[in-house]
Amino acid sequence: MSAGATRLGQYALWQARDYLWERGVPSLLVGALVLAAPANTVRQAASQARGARAEADVSLLALVLIAATFKVLAFMIVLLSVNGIVSNDRKQGYFRFLFAKPVSVPRFYAQAFALHGLGALAATAILLAVFRAAIYPVFPVGTLALVALTYLSVGGIGFLISTLSRFDWATLSVVFALSQFLRIGFPPGESWYGRGLHWILPPLHKLNDVTDALIRGGNPGGFAIGAAGQASALQVSDPAFLHAVLWLAAWGVGAFVAALLVLNRRPLAA
Amino acid sequence: MIELRDVTKIYPSLFGQPVRAVEDFSLRAEPGEVLGIAGPNGAGKSTVIALLLGYLAPTRGTVSIAGRPPREYITRHGIGYLSELIAIPPRWTVDRALTRYGLLAGLAGTALAARRDELVELLGLRPHRRKQVRQLSKGNAQRLGLAQALMRDDRVMIFDEPTHGLDPLWIQRFRDLARALRRPDRTMLVASHDLDELQRVADRVAIIDGGRLQRIVDTRAAASAAHGSRQPYVLTLAAGAEGLTAVFPGARPLGGGVYEIPPLDLSALNAGVARLIASGALVSAVAPAYSVLERQFREAVGERTT
């Protein structure tokens, strides 16, 4: 390992510190606000529950609400974690001093992306731990898998956009809105171009499909939550679930690699 | 060491004409040399520097440092760089900023702490080391920028407007520092509006205008050559101004006993000053109206202000 890589490894502590103050704390605050209403519902239900059956119902209610909340919250935590990850340094000109030093630009941002992912997971774990300690004793570990998968897929695309655009939040919103619009406007079963778009567009719908299965899969007691019972509901054991996860992961990894190529080829002041 | 060869940089424009920031530009700076870059606003100085750092790619031509593309060289070796815009996250404190940059520069542990402390002392930042960047005055932020550029013992140093925002004391200290940084294996590039500073610091000065290299002035040779040439002078009189126009026809008062004398050669100047003194005038100073570099600059870019 070169000296530069070693020093960059040590710089990870500073990047983690930046994450904590600039993104971690805001993620926790947003998470606390979004979880406040479901937490209140679970607390009230728990206070009225009597008997083993009622306890099981409250447990199920908690899991259902966590799953529903994290469908949105995972997305928000990931957006907070990747927004401006590269573009902020370009917009503010911070790159000028940073990369006059013997530092590889792609390696610097790859490390930041990895650390921000760990930060997103840590923020999620803290929110779940607080929920477990203060509201109701459930800890659906599948939620962490959901955030990890959301980070890899949505975050990977966000990372790529941050290397390309100085207005990544807005660009990412346009990309996602446009892809949803095209997906709805041109369903894959109706035309060849609909099928083409289905493969080309960011697979956000897949994320929706796997959310329930992931949270359910991490908690054996939650078999009936979410979309269970509906024909489209996925189980962790379904081949379609694995397919969806791989599709999402491939998109994320592809976007991440593309981002590194952009960072390697495209001048920062361009 | 540093070379731009036939470089053109065109900024594309979505609407309207593309902007040609630099055109057919060639320049080379050797180890041991301090090369100045001067030019009016919008001349292309900042683009040239961004190209040298690999922050911009040339549309045509090649840029290299020690024979390598800039990013490749910098990723391996780093360079000392002070940008015109001091862009450091405003919440970082002086100490932490230097620690971070030092770490990225390849220093660690006690070596990093020692170098940081040394630079804090050298650049007078001790009273400010716990302050956040946003709390620093322009001059102190500039000195912090300079400190981070000096973290490593780099062989290539690029200073863009290094004395911008500094008070006269620190301007003088920067000049001393620039002299101390000279080394046979080090190439330094200083871009500045301040021609007097470049005259003092640089061996050669590249004058840029309209994105093109107008001329390269060898400051030492030009200073020697200037002794024999006709040029305007500024003369300061403590008393006896009445006889001035008789001795120097066309002399123009600038106020406060200072007069501009039209161009003349050195012997004519000396003869005139002797006559003036003989007539009872008290001469307190005589100096060229413009430095050698200022004259070259005016010739190269016309009478526009910098």
Side-chain angles (χ1 to χ4, degrees), chain A residues 7-8 10-11 14-15 17-18 21 92-105 108 267-270, chain B residues 54-57 71 74-75 77-79 81 83 87-90 92 96 100-101 103-108 148 152:
Chain A
R7 301 289 179 258
L8 190 53
Q10 291 179 20
Y11 194 77
W14 290 102
Q15 287 176 312
R17 182 192 165 97
D18 291 341
W21 294 112
Q92 306 293 340
Y94 300 151
F95 70 90
R96 291 178 189 281
F97 289 161
L98 290 174
F99 301 117
K101 306 288 183 274
V103 174
S104 155
V105 177
F108 181 91
L268 285 163
Chain B
Y55 292 155
L56 286 174
R71 286 306 325 156
I74 293 167
T75 301
H77 306 287
I79 63 168
Y81 172 54
S83 62
I88 299 174
W92 292 9
R96 284 181 181 158
R100 284 174 183 244
Y101 290 126
L103 202 53
L104 291 175
L107 302 171
Q148 67 75 35
R152 271 167 61 97

Side-chain angles (χ1 to χ4, degrees), chain B:
Chain B
M1 188 66 180
I2 290 177
E3 186 173 25
L4 296 105
R5 189 182 293 171
D6 303 323
V7 169
T8 294
K9 176 64 189 174
I10 301 170
Y11 292 109
S13 170
L14 213 54
F15 309 103
Q17 289 287 322
V19 178
R20 287 175 175 272
V22 171
E23 202 160 8
D24 297 329
F25 191 93
S26 294
L27 188 64
R28 190 178 163 85
E30 301 295 343
E33 184 178 28
V34 179
L35 177 69
I37 296 185
N41 290 329
K45 299 192 296 291
S46 295
T47 300
V48 167
I49 288 174
L51 289 164
L52 280 172
L53 282 138
Y55 292 155
L56 286 174
T59 309
R60 282 195 297 276
T62 55
V63 183
S64 64
I65 303 178
R68 296 174 186 274
R71 286 306 325 156
E72 194 181 313
Y73 177 88
I74 293 167
T75 301
R76 281 170 186 247
H77 306 287
I79 63 168
Y81 172 54
L82 171 65
S83 62
E84 184 179 9
L85 171 73
I86 303 298
I88 299 174
R91 289 188 189 175
W92 292 9
T93 63
V94 168
D95 252 3
R96 284 181 181 158
L98 291 176
T99 303
R100 284 174 183 244
Y101 290 126
L103 202 53
L104 291 175
L107 302 171
T110 51
L112 170 56
R115 184 62 181 152
R116 182 194 61 208
D117 293 349
E118 187 185 349
L119 288 168
V120 162
E121 289 299 324
L122 180 69
L123 291 160
L125 291 167
R126 187 143 57 111
H128 312 292
R129 60 192 303 170
R130 309 260 175 262
K131 284 185 189 168
Q132 292 183 329
V133 170
R134 62 179 164 189
Q135 296 171 303
L136 297 178
S137 67
K138 173 84 187 115
N140 289 334
Q142 186 75 7
R143 282 186 271 146
L144 174 60
L146 194 53
Q148 67 75 35
L150 300 176
M151 285 303 298
R152 271 167 61 97
D153 199 22
D154 292 305
R155 291 180 61 195
V156 175
M157 294 193 156
I158 297 177
F159 300 119
D160 193 359
E161 299 293 349
T163 55
H164 184 58
L166 295 184
D167 62 32
L169 175 69
W170 279 103
I171 289 174
Q172 186 54 50
R173 287 193 184 171
F174 170 76
R175 288 170 184 163
D176 295 342
L177 189 63
R179 275 184 213 108
L181 286 170
R182 270 181 183 276
R183 227 170 55 184
D185 64 343
R186 177 174 284 155
T187 309
M188 286 167 62
L189 199 144
V190 181
S192 180
H193 278 108
D194 188 339
L195 300 175
D196 183 43
E197 178 175 295
L198 291 179
Q199 172 87 50
R200 289 162 192 258
V201 167
D203 302 312
R204 294 185 302 150
V205 175
I207 298 174
I208 307 175
D209 192 25
R212 287 176 179 273
L213 179 64
Q214 300 297 326
R215 65 179 69 180
I216 295 180
V217 181
D218 182 325
T219 51
R220 309 286 178 263
S224 313
H227 291 318
S229 65
R230 284 169 59 85
Q231 58 180 311
Y233 288 88
V234 171
L235 183 142
T236 310
L237 290 176
E242 315 73 60
L244 182 69
T245 47
V247 176
F248 294 118
R252 192 165 61 92
L254 300 175
V258 181
Y259 299 85
E260 186 178 295
I261 310 293
L264 71 177
D265 60 34
L266 206 52
S267 56
L269 173 73
N270 275 277
V273 169
R275 280 175 57 200
L276 202 58
I277 292 169
S279 72
L282 280 175
V283 177
S284 58
V286 186
Y290 310 111
S291 72
V292 176
L293 194 56
E294 277 176 324
R295 285 173 59 205
Q296 296 271 359
F297 188 87
R298 280 166 178 260
E299 285 170 22
V301 308
E303 290 300 311
R304 281 181 290 148
T305 56
T306 61

Side-chain angles (χ1 to χ4, degrees), chain A residues 1-13 15 85-86 89 98-99 101-116 159 163 256-266 268, chain B residues 71-72 74-77 104:
Chain A
M1 187 184 281
S2 71
T6 311
R7 301 289 179 258
L8 190 53
Q10 291 179 20
Y11 194 77
L13 290 174
Q15 287 176 312
I85 190 168
V86 177
D89 289 347
L98 290 174
F99 301 117
K101 306 288 183 274
V103 174
S104 155
V105 177
R107 199 178 285 174
F108 181 91
Y109 286 115
Q111 180 169 291
F113 181 75
L115 282 166
H116 289 202
F159 183 47
T163 64
F256 175 74
V257 170
L260 296 187
L261 288 173
V262 171
L263 287 169
N264 196 41
R265 302 290 304 170
R266 187 170 184 239
L268 285 163
Chain B
R71 286 306 325 156
E72 194 181 313
I74 293 167
T75 301
R76 281 170 186 247
H77 306 287
L104 291 175

